[in-house]
Amino acid sequence: MALLNYDVLKKSGYDGYILEDAPVKVLQFGEGNFLRAFVDYWFDLANEKAGWNGKCCLVQPIAPGLAKMINEQEGLYTLYLRGSENGQKVDDKRVISSVANCLNPYEKADYDKMMEVAASDDLEIIVSNTTEAGIQYDPSCQKADCPPASFPAKLTQVLYHRYQAGKSGIIMLACELIDNNGKELLKCVNQYIEQWGLEDGFKKYVNEDCTFCGSLVDRIVPGRIRDAEEVKALDAKNGYEDPLTDVGEVFGVWVIEGDEKLNDVLPFKKAGLMDKVFVTPDMSPYKKRKVRILNGAHTGFVLGAYLAGEDIVRDCMNDEVIKGFMNKMLYDEVIPTLPLDKDDLLKFAAAVSDRFNNPFVNHELMSISLNSTSKWKARNMPSFLEYIKEEGRLPECLTMSLAAYIAFYSNDIQALTDAGLVCKRPAGNEYTVSDDRWVLEFYYDHKDDSEEELVHAVLTNEKMWDQDLTQIEGLEAKVTENLKKIHTEGAKAAYASCL
């Protein structure tokens, strides 16, 4: 069967939207599954719905990458957006044509092509997602490196080349999953300007003519389809082979931090995507929304759900007690503490239920359980403390969630190994808790404690929580009571007692 390209696609009878020729308006650092299922998808919709008429030139951030495969397919690939929306199963296919090509800057010819794009009159936007480790200043990178190792150094070279060519400033959209991603990236570029002794005019160009925006990205992207038989069946149905096939969930939101005038410069508003991709002066409320509702829901219910015998998120959504516990926690205890439009929060929470019930993704509870100590502190503690401050009493579900966290980390401890803390589930099978070593050693040291002793030790551990939680009136007694309930009646019955 033929490999996907424009000619093969025409012969296949595909009748969806396709744009074959358009100028390159985006230089994109990163060519992996996430950016292709997210950023390139939104630009593809902008081409279809707003006549934006732009393409993305992708750049491999590291030497091993997908450039050869992407170029063999002339930038085309098949994207499946799969999941649940308003309780209905969704499985949408779209061939993405917003990608022009992909460059490997570790080859001299492609490095030179990257600089050609940098100096182009058509270029408007640079996008990056080079992993959390990507936005870091590496002083070993030099101005003459071809290319330098770090992404911020490559970006400094690209912007300097554009500046020397006398071209206008660009919009920089950083998508890495770190706090203040845009500001951190700009900081690194300024460090290279200083280190390399570049002129003040260029510094002014970077800081005043270019616009560095932070952004918050939200879409789960499982990536390639792993079932060989399903791949074979899809290829036969499509009439072409596509090893670059990508899979993402239906839900997707891209919050860009910057001056709202950028809504009129970027193509997304014109494309009618303002509920999905938009610019706001402060994205912190949206980050808070994601962390407290989406991430907080995960961490809030999965540890007890695992002890209750569940293994994947979707099955939890089909259990009335566990789903009821999650919903009560979100709607009664988390949402009331958030400083955002309540309708928006309710819609987001409803979407979370759909996302957790995705029929195409087997999201394992044990994978969510990694590093739950810092996760509970970052995702659940703010809602917990805010609720107490506003209501003057303990939030029932979040307090139970804290007890379930302690139960998960201490249930019939068997051993402490290099892999983690080996515990035993009530059903009898062993599981391994993964967290910072000091956390695991703490629980191992307290494995013979009574419930009262263990709860006291956990709540007074200021290294865990940055405070002594026994100072919260009634908390120690309630968590101890909840932990005993989990031990004697089971986690599911304990969750049910909150409803």
Side-chain angles (χ1 to χ4, degrees):
M1 194 174 289
L3 196 65
L4 175 64
N5 61 30
Y6 282 98
D7 189 46
V8 168
L9 187 65
K10 280 173 197 159
K11 289 173 183 168
S12 77
Y14 178 73
D15 60 357
Y17 173 82
I18 288 292
L19 176 67
E20 194 160 349
D21 295 306
V24 169
K25 295 183 179 181
V26 179
L27 185 64
Q28 175 178 304
F29 286 87
E31 86 295 26
N33 290 327
F34 178 77
L35 283 178
R36 291 188 300 110
F38 189 76
V39 167
D40 301 323
Y41 166 76
W42 298 123
F43 283 122
D44 202 58
L45 287 185
N47 282 332
E48 179 185 13
K49 298 182 181 304
W52 185 56
N53 196 43
K55 292 262 189 177
C56 307
C57 171
L58 315 190
V59 180
Q60 286 181 199
I62 56 175
L66 299 175
K68 188 169 181 289
M69 289 172 71
I70 289 169
N71 294 332
E72 280 176 350
Q73 295 188 189
E74 299 177 321
L76 293 174
Y77 59 93
T78 315
L79 174 65
Y80 291 94
L81 294 184
R82 295 173 156 181
S84 177
E85 203 167 40
N86 301 320
Q88 300 298 309
K89 185 176 175 180
V90 177
D91 188 0
D92 286 339
K93 169 195 163 185
R94 182 182 182 95
V95 176
I96 302 296
S97 60
S98 59
V99 173
N101 61 330
C102 185
L103 303 175
N104 176 5
Y106 296 86
E107 294 176 359
K108 181 66 168 69
D110 275 9
Y111 177 85
D112 293 341
K113 284 178 188 169
M114 178 176 78
M115 290 305 178
E116 281 175 29
V117 175
S120 157
D121 286 324
D122 296 314
L123 186 68
E124 298 174 0
I125 300 161
I126 299 179
V127 181
S128 71
N129 190 3
T130 54
T131 79
E132 290 91 315
I135 299 182
Q136 283 184 359
Y137 170 65
D138 176 357
S140 72
C141 294
Q142 302 301 316
K143 178 174 176 269
D145 290 351
C146 180
S150 84
F151 160 59
K154 289 187 190 81
L155 179 63
T156 308
Q157 285 185 338
V158 160
L159 293 176
Y160 190 57
H161 188 74
R162 184 168 180 81
Y163 164 76
Q164 288 183 309
K167 299 300 163 68
S168 59
I170 52 85
I171 297 169
M172 177 71 227
L173 305 175
C175 300
E176 287 80 0
L177 297 176
I178 61 167
D179 285 339
N180 301 309
N181 42 22
K183 288 171 186 165
E184 288 299 318
L185 180 56
L186 178 58
K187 184 174 149 191
C188 291
V189 171
N190 278 316
Q191 285 175 293
Y192 286 117
I193 292 171
E194 293 299 319
Q195 181 190 323
W196 297 348
L198 302 176
E199 60 264 40
D200 288 343
F202 175 56
K203 188 169 188 177
K204 185 173 184 290
Y205 173 82
V206 166
N207 289 277
E208 294 180 21
D209 294 0
C210 295
T211 306
F212 278 68
C213 301
S215 76
L216 176 71
V217 295
D218 191 3
R219 167 168 280 163
I220 297 166
V221 178
R224 66 189 177 86
I225 298 168
R226 296 173 198 286
D227 184 335
E229 289 304 310
E230 186 184 359
V231 171
K232 203 170 162 186
L234 288 172
D235 287 348
K237 187 178 175 186
N238 292 335
Y240 56 75
E241 272 185 35
D242 182 5
L244 289 168
T245 293
D246 204 354
V247 179
E249 67 169 336
V250 179
F251 182 91
V253 169
W254 190 6
V255 183
I256 299 164
E257 189 170 63
D259 190 316
E260 287 179 318
K261 289 176 187 166
L262 285 173
N263 276 319
D264 298 319
V265 178
L266 296 168
F268 309 116
K269 181 180 178 182
K270 194 178 171 191
L273 299 171
M274 284 296 287
D275 59 330
K276 309 282 189 189
V277 187
F278 57 90
V279 182
T280 178
D282 178 15
M283 70 179 179
S284 57
Y286 297 96
K287 183 177 181 189
K288 202 175 274 187
R289 179 183 76 171
K290 177 177 183 268
V291 169
R292 301 259 197 108
I293 296 179
L294 175 74
N295 306 126
H298 265 158
T299 301
F301 80 80
V302 298
L303 303 179
Y306 184 77
L307 293 178
E310 299 293 353
D311 291 303
I312 63 172
V313 171
R314 181 175 61 252
D315 289 344
C316 295
M317 294 302 99
N318 294 312
D319 183 292
E320 285 185 21
V321 169
I322 296 173
K323 187 178 180 182
F325 176 83
M326 180 192 82
N327 282 338
K328 185 176 179 188
M329 177 175 68
L330 290 182
Y331 290 98
D332 292 2
E333 299 175 4
V334 176
I335 288 173
T337 70
L338 286 168
L340 270 170
D341 177 76
K342 288 297 178 266
D343 284 343
D344 173 74
L345 293 171
L346 293 171
K347 279 180 195 163
F348 188 81
V352 163
S353 285
D354 273 333
R355 296 172 77 180
F356 288 177
N357 200 26
N358 191 330
F360 298 96
V361 178
N362 294 330
H363 203 166
E364 294 182 1
L365 304 188
M366 281 304 294
S367 70
I368 297 168
S369 79
L370 303 178
N371 303 310
S372 281
T373 307
S374 58
K375 283 179 178 173
W376 208 95
K377 178 182 162 188
R379 300 171 170 187
N380 302 92
M381 185 68 78
S383 301
F384 176 79
L385 295 175
E386 196 66 35
Y387 183 93
I388 293 169
K389 185 177 158 190
E390 290 181 14
E391 299 292 328
R393 57 193 168 93
L394 295 173
E396 205 171 352
C397 295
L398 284 165
T399 305
M400 179 62 77
S401 170
L402 182 56
Y405 152 77
I406 296 171
F408 180 84
Y409 273 61
S410 61
N411 213 73
D412 199 0
I413 293 172
Q414 304 292 302
L416 180 61
T417 68
D418 289 343
L421 188 66
V422 181
C423 297
K424 198 175 265 191
R425 218 172 180 182
N429 58 304
E430 291 183 350
Y431 63 95
T432 302
V433 179
S434 297
D435 209 317
D436 290 331
R437 195 69 191 174
W438 67 266
V439 172
L440 303 179
E441 288 172 352
F442 167 86
Y443 278 101
Y444 189 73
D445 290 344
H446 288 272
K447 68 180 180 357
D448 298 320
D449 283 9
S450 66
E451 280 117 336
E452 286 84 359
E453 290 167 337
L454 179 59
V455 169
H456 184 77
V458 172
L459 297 189
T460 55
N461 191 322
E462 295 192 27
K463 190 174 180 182
M464 280 184 184
W465 316 114
D466 291 338
Q467 59 186 297
D468 178 354
L469 293 177
T470 61
Q471 299 303 303
I472 297 171
E473 188 182 345
L475 181 62
E476 186 172 358
K478 189 63 181 172
V479 173
T480 304
E481 179 193 318
N482 286 344
L483 184 60
K484 285 180 175 178
K485 192 182 282 283
I486 291 169
H487 286 160
T488 56
E489 299 176 33
K492 191 166 172 180
Y495 277 6
S497 72
C498 297
L499 301 179

